[in-house]
Structure formats: C-alpha cells, structure tokens
C-alpha cells in the first residue's frame, strides 16, 4: 500500500454551493442584506474527492447528478481537477445544491444542503463500481446520500480488503452493522455527540465518546475538534494532533472535508496515523484561509511547504 499516489475511491454527493456573505448569520424569521454572493463547487463527497486529488491521490468519485447545468459544471470541474468521475446522470432529477451563509468575522457558516439526484441512490447502485472500489487503496464515504449506500460501500471495501473511512457528516441515526465496517470513523465533536448521546465539549468527553464508538466495533476513531486539533483513539493508543495554522481563517466550509481527504491520502501512502493526521491538519489549515469549499483545497506542494520545518 506504500505509494506516492494512492488510489482513493470516494462515494458521496456533489452540490452547487450558493454562498452568501453577510455581516452576521441571519436569525430564524429574519431577512438581512448580504454583502456578497458566489456560486462554488461543494458537496462533501465532491469536496473530499477534489481535495484528495490535489493532495496527490488518484481519485475516482461515485455520485448521482441531474441532467442540468449544475451537473454539467460539476463534470467539467472534476475533469479540470483530474478526478475520475463515476457519476451517474439521472434524468428528471436536479443536481444537489447547498445554501451557505458565511460570517466573515469568524469564518463560521450555516449550511442547508439538498442532495437532489444523489438522494435517490440505493444500496444496489454502488455495486456497479465494486471493481473500482476493489482496485483502490482507501474507500471514503460520508452521509449526505442515503445511509444504505454508505453501508453497502463499506461492505464492498471490507470484502476486498480496502481500508475504509466513514466521515459521518451530517450525523444521522446509523444501523449497528455499520460501525464494525469502519476501519476509521472521522466525526467532528457535534457528530461524535449525536452518534453516542454523550456530551462532547472537553477533551476528556471527546475521548469518552471515541471509546463508546470503539465499543460499537469501529477500528479507529478520530474526533476533529476545530481549533483544538484532532483526537485519535483506538484500543491501544490515544493522542491529540494539534491544528496547523497556515494564515487567517476566512471560511471554514471545506475544513472537515479537507481533513478527511488528507487523512485518506496519508493513509494510502502508508503513513502512520499520527503523520496522516498532521498531513490532514495542514490540508485543512490551508483550506480555511481561502473562500469556498472545493476550490479552497491546496495542492500537494502547498501542503508540503506548510509542513516543512
Ligand atoms: O462540508 C461542506 C459542504 O457541505 C458544502 O460544500 C456543502 O455543499 C455541504 O454539502
């Protein structure tokens, strides 16, 4: 598995990100004037695929898109980024879209995402790319498409001995069977709390939630903790990897996706988990210094420059 350009297979959704910047996030029932608007490329799966490709992975991406302008733009974006598209175009369905509000004072955001065509995926649909999953070094999936698709993809990865990563975002109720299929589970603190029913505010609480997830059968848990870094936990070791600061934070939208992708590439290169997490932290640390999601992801050269002592 040790190689510079590991094969990463990502399953998930694409969303056209409609990004509004305002002096603050609107409250429920309130209308406020935006100070800026852009349309960008998003969807956690697509963001992770693009980030992994820019970071040196040979990436294939399985998704559903609509037969519409957003879908055509997505396909062009993947071509430009060197992502091998395994997208299925679904007639009569829209491509996914997300409404994103960014608060420029903090870089924080609020997101509503509609999966569109990807919301119609069924477990059997991912069977058609079984051979591609089998030929990869790392399989990555999230939860913006139906959970059955994630479960089936993880089953295929396990069947073929491919290392698997589930980024449980957004957190939804999961079937018990999914946990033991995850070699690596990468929730943020909110998702770790929702998946375990435990409070996750302190480091000690994050470790307790990670241990509860290990008890469910997960191989390794990494809880991402924003400015506090990321906590690794398995049955033999627990450690914290600090964040990598690469400049002022302007937009955190793609940070979790960048971290997941960076970890996948590092793992595929044969790095120990601690090194893969540092690589992931550098990728995410650079992405938050730029606006947007997919387009904010750095190249391998940029990641290496930040990591250079
Ligand atoms: O993780 C960030 C992504 O979540 C955005 O790009 C948006 O499309 C939503 O899917």
């Amino acid at each position: 598995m040790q190689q510079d350009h590991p094969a990463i297979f990502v399953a998930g959704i694409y969303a056209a990100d409609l990004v509004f910047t305002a002096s603050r996030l609107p409250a429920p029932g309130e209308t406020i004037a935006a100070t800026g608007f852009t349309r960008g490329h998003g969807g956690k799966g697509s963001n992770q695929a693009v980030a992994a490709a820019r970071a040196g992975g040979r990436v294939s991406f399985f998704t559903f898109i609509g037969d519409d302008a957003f879908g055509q733009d997505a396909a062009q974006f993947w071509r430009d980024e060197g992502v091998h598209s395994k997208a299925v175009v679904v007639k009569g369905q829209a491509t996914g879209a997300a409404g994103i509000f960014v608060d420029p004072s903090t870089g924080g955001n609020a997101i509503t995402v509609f999966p569109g065509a990807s919301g119609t995926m069924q477990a059997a649909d991912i069977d058609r790319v079984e051979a591609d999953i089998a030929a990869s070094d790392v399989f990555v999936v999230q939860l913006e498409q139906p959970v059955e698709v994630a479960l089936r993809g993880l089953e295929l990865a396990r069947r073929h001995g491919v290392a698997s990563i589930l980024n449980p975002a957004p957190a939804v109720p999961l079937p018990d069977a999914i946990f033991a299929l995850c070699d690596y589970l990468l929730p943020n603190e909110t998702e770790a709390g929702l998946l375990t029913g435990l409070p996750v505010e302190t480091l000690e609480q994050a470790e307790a939630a990670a241990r509860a997830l290990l008890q469910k059968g997960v191989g390794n848990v990494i809880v991402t903790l924003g400015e506090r870094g990321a906590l690794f936990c398995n049955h033999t070791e627990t450690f914290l990897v600090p964040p990598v600061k690469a400049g002022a934070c302007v937009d955190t939208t793609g940070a979790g996706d960048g971290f997941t992708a960076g970890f996948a590439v590092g793992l595929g290169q044969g790095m120990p988990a601690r090194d893969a997490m540092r690589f992931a932290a550098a990728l995410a640390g650079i992405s938050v210094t730029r606006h947007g999601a997919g387009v904010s992801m750095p190249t391998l050269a940029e990641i290496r420059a930040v990591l250079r002592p």
Side-chain angles (χ1 to χ4, degrees):
M1 227 227 282
Q2 199 124 17
Q3 51 173 312
D4 282 349
H5 303 288
I8 312 290
F9 192 99
V10 182
I13 84 157
Y14 170 87
D17 282 353
L18 309 177
V19 186
F20 300 84
T21 307
S23 55
R24 60 183 173 77
L25 301 182
E30 186 187 27
T31 301
I32 60 172
T35 53
F37 170 79
T38 53
R39 206 187 107 196
H41 297 288
K44 296 182 195 303
S46 179
N47 294 340
Q48 292 175 17
V50 169
R54 289 190 180 183
R58 288 177 289 119
V59 179
S60 298
F61 179 46
F62 174 72
T63 190
F64 276 15
I65 52 177
D67 186 14
D68 55 17
F70 284 173
Q72 286 159 15
D73 288 355
Q76 185 61 50
F77 182 50
W78 299 324
R79 274 194 292 277
D80 293 345
E81 295 292 337
V83 170
H84 185 206
S85 169
K86 308 297 287 183
V88 176
V89 178
V90 186
K91 293 220 179 307
Q93 292 285 340
T95 298
I100 302 183
F101 299 88
V102 176
D103 178 347
S105 65
T106 62
N109 59 59
I111 301 177
T112 307
V113 62
F114 175 62
S118 288
T120 70
M121 272 187 210
Q122 297 181 357
D125 291 317
I126 200 168
D127 287 344
R128 64 179 88 179
V129 290
E130 178 172 357
D132 301 278
I133 293 174
S136 58
D137 298 304
V138 182
F139 173 77
V140 184
V141 69
Q142 331 70 34
L143 296 173
E144 289 185 314
Q145 76 296 316
V147 67
E148 296 78 21
V149 180
L151 177 64
R152 183 72 180 140
L154 291 164
E155 284 170 351
L156 295 175
R158 177 61 52 84
R159 175 187 295 171
H160 295 287
V162 174
S164 63
I165 297 174
L166 172 61
N167 170 220
V172 297
L174 292 176
D176 288 343
I178 208 166
F179 293 102
L181 293 168
C182 300
D183 293 323
Y184 295 86
L185 185 74
L186 268 68
N188 64 19
E189 59 256 81
T190 308
E191 292 148 3
L194 288 167
L195 290 176
T196 59
L198 297 170
V200 183
E201 279 156 27
T202 66
L203 275 183
E204 292 71 25
Q205 290 172 336
E207 182 175 344
R211 295 210 171 282
L213 292 165
L214 292 175
Q215 285 308 316
K216 289 175 183 275
V218 174
N220 305 272
V221 179
I222 298 171
V223 184
T224 55
L225 299 162
E227 290 174 351
R228 287 177 293 174
L231 182 75
F232 177 92
C233 194
N234 68 13
H235 287 294
T236 54
E237 55 180 344
T238 299
F239 55 83
L240 183 72
V241 171
V244 173
K245 190 144 175 75
C249 172
V250 298
D251 184 351
T252 60
T253 306
D257 299 328
F259 188 94
T260 301
F263 185 76
V265 171
L267 188 68
Q269 287 180 341
M271 289 183 194
R274 191 188 292 267
D275 294 350
M277 287 172 67
R278 190 156 160 69
F279 185 82
L283 197 167
I286 298 169
S287 78
V288 301
T289 67
R290 300 167 178 172
H291 292 283
V295 295
S296 73
M297 304 302 175
T299 63
L300 180 57
E302 290 172 324
I303 299 167
R304 284 185 173 152
V306 162
L307 287 174
R308 209 166 286 137

